[in-house]
Amino acid sequence: MQAEQRKQSKFHVDEVERNFVLLSIVLLIVFAISVAVGNLAYNIGLPEPAGRVDPTKLDEHLQFGKPVEERVRELAPGKYEAYIIASKWKFSPGSTNFGQKAITIPKGSTITFYVTSEDLQHGFKLLGTNISFMVLPGQVSKLTATFDDPGTYQFICYEYCGQLHHNMYGELIVEE
Ligand code: CUA
């Protein structure tokens, strides 16, 4: 009887297995700390959803419903906002390959991008920067950035969205 009890209460974990479990726990803690430090000390955060929209009624939206050339505006000196609609296979405004004007700001300006999709899932990645976020129908993605270096920046769609996905891009020009 005693011997049987002892056998039941003894729960054997292999040493190697135990070490892996401990290592996984340590890694989780390290990751959690690095996310917290990145967010609090370096202000690295995920782009937040900035509201919801009805993708079938974007033309009625206060900002997305404006004519494409009015969707970039200067709010204050050096402070801009851009309301961009992603669709198969362009960004409006910004897709110069579709005859639209590039989004143009002077250097040192801060611009807030509001991006939504009117059809399916797209991506928004500004090459040469760490700006990158997903664009979903029904949701507005928002991100603010300051551009000190003049040049032409391309923003591309990084989520596969069909036949001409590779041709889906727009341009941001930062002027001297
Ligand atoms: Cu839009 Cu890929």
Side-chain angles (χ1 to χ4, degrees):
M1 182 66 181
Q2 253 185 349
E4 201 183 319
Q5 267 180 345
R6 208 171 15 206
K7 209 163 79 188
Q8 276 179 349
S9 65
K10 204 172 174 194
F11 179 64
H12 178 74
V13 179
D14 187 81
E15 200 184 340
V16 176
E17 194 177 354
R18 192 198 59 206
N19 289 344
F20 268 99
V21 169
L22 287 176
L23 181 67
S24 313
I25 293 170
V26 169
L27 279 178
L28 278 177
I29 293 169
V30 169
F31 292 153
I33 290 171
S34 69
V35 167
V37 168
N39 191 271
L40 298 174
Y42 296 96
N43 201 21
I44 300 169
L46 290 173
E48 305 163 51
R52 304 198 66 83
V53 282
D54 183 342
T56 63
K57 290 182 182 154
L58 287 179
D59 52 341
E60 295 171 20
H61 189 272
L62 187 63
Q63 301 296 343
F64 290 111
K66 286 181 178 168
V68 64
E69 61 277 8
E70 291 173 27
R71 293 210 290 267
V72 180
R73 42 176 207 153
E74 187 175 12
L75 300 172
K79 207 169 178 307
Y80 291 78
E81 65 177 14
Y83 282 82
I84 301 172
I85 298 175
S87 58
K88 289 185 295 182
W89 288 279
K90 63 176 187 283
F91 292 103
S92 310
S95 276
T96 48
N97 54 340
F98 280 88
Q100 295 177 9
K101 282 201 286 185
I103 297 171
T104 305
I105 57 171
K107 90 172 179 186
S109 302
T110 297
I111 181 166
T112 301
F113 298 100
Y114 296 87
V115 193
T116 192
S117 166
E118 66 174 17
D119 42 36
L120 37 82
Q121 177 175 319
H122 299 279
F124 183 98
K125 180 171 173 54
L126 197 60
L127 299 179
T129 72
N130 64 355
I131 294 172
S132 166
F133 52 83
M134 212 181 262
V135 180
L136 299 166
Q139 183 176 298
V140 181
S141 302
K142 178 188 173 189
L143 201 143
T144 300
T146 302
F147 292 87
D148 294 323
D149 298 324
T152 299
Y153 298 80
Q154 274 195 341
F155 43 92
I156 60 162
C157 176
Y158 69 83
E159 292 283 350
Y160 182 72
C161 56
Q163 209 177 8
L164 293 177
H165 158 72
H166 61 278
N167 203 34
M168 183 169 172
Y169 69 91
E171 281 182 348
L172 169 76
I173 296 174
V174 180
E175 290 181 323
E176 189 63 59

